[in-house]
Amino acid sequence: MSMIDMLFTCLLGMMVMLFIAMMLMAEQSKTGDIPAHAEFLISLEWDPKSGNDIDLWLKLPDGKKIFFRSKSHAGAFLDRDDIGSNNDFFYIENNEMRRVEINREVIAIRGIFPGTYTVNLHAYRLGGQDNSPIEKTKVILNKINPISQILAQKEIVLDKNGQEVTAFTFTVDSKGNVTDINTYFVPMVYDP
C-alpha cells in the first residue's frame, strides 16, 4: 500500500511541475513576443493560373512610393512581387518541384501615419503563359487594428500592357481612422 501512495505522490508532483512549466512558458511567450502587427493591409489578387504580371503600388502621404523596385519605406512594406504563374514553383527535398497557385501581392502599413494614401494597379505584362490579354483583379483595403475590417474592395479589369488604374485613395487621421475613401485617378507609375 505504501508503494501505491509513493507512486501517487510522485505522479501528483510531476503534474504540478508540468503545470508550473506550462505557466512559465505561456508567460515567457507573452513577454517575448515581437510586435509584428500591421495597421492596414492592402492586397491584390488575380487568377491563380494566370501568367500575367500585375503590380500593386502605394503612394504614401510623404509622396514616396512602394512597388517592386522600392519595397519598403516609413513603415510600409511590399511582401512579395508576384510575377504571375511564372514564380509559383519551388523545390523541396530530393529536388521535387512543387507549385503554389496564388497570384497575390500584399502591402502592410505597420503604423499610423496620418495623410492620404493612393493604391494603384499596373499591368506590367499581360499575355503571359496563358496568352490572356485581360486580367480581372480584386483589391482590398483591410484595417487590422483593433479588429479586422474591410474598408474598401474593388474589382478592376486590366486590358492593356502598361495600363495604370487607381483602385482607391484613402485618408488616415492621427488616431488611425480612415476618414475618406475615393477612386479619383492619381498617376504613379509614369509620374516622376
Side-chain angles (χ1 to χ4, degrees), residues 44-91:
L44 161 66
E45 291 189 17
W46 65 100
D47 179 1
K49 296 185 184 306
S50 171
N52 292 332
D53 183 358
I54 311 298
D55 288 322
L56 181 62
W57 287 59
L58 176 67
K59 187 174 191 177
L60 301 168
D62 68 1
K64 299 288 185 181
K65 300 170 191 170
I66 303 296
F67 64 108
F68 66 93
R69 286 195 182 126
S70 178
K71 294 182 181 181
S72 67
H73 176 75
F77 303 87
L78 173 64
D79 290 340
R80 179 173 186 247
D81 176 28
D82 196 321
I83 60 172
S85 60
N86 298 330
N87 67 343
D88 287 350
F89 298 95
F90 65 96
Y91 291 93

Side-chain angles (χ1 to χ4, degrees), residues 102-122:
I102 299 173
N103 286 333
R104 178 187 306 139
E105 293 195 5
V106 177
I107 294 177
I109 301 172
R110 296 186 187 153
I112 296 173
F113 307 103
T116 300
Y117 296 78
T118 303
V119 178
N120 280 13
L121 307 186
H122 178 231

Side-chain angles (χ1 to χ4, degrees), residues 17-36:
M17 289 184 351
L18 178 64
F19 177 75
I20 291 170
M22 289 175 61
M23 294 296 287
L24 288 173
M25 286 190 295
E27 188 62 34
Q28 183 179 0
S29 71
K30 287 181 189 174
T31 60
D33 282 347
I34 298 170

Side-chain angles (χ1 to χ4, degrees), residues 90-98:
F90 65 96
Y91 291 93
I92 60 171
E93 297 176 6
N94 305 322
N95 275 345
E96 182 182 340
M97 187 167 44
R98 293 279 173 98

Side-chain angles (χ1 to χ4, degrees), residues 118-156:
T118 303
V119 178
N120 280 13
L121 307 186
H122 178 231
Y124 188 83
R125 186 192 69 247
L126 296 179
Q129 288 178 336
D130 62 356
N131 295 319
S132 176
I134 65 167
E135 193 62 65
K136 295 178 185 174
T137 66
K138 182 196 272 187
V139 187
I140 298 173
L141 170 61
N142 196 345
K143 183 167 179 9
I144 303 300
N145 285 315
I147 59 170
S148 179
Q149 65 185 98
I150 294 175
L151 301 179
Q153 182 172 319
K154 191 167 185 184
E155 293 186 8
I156 297 172

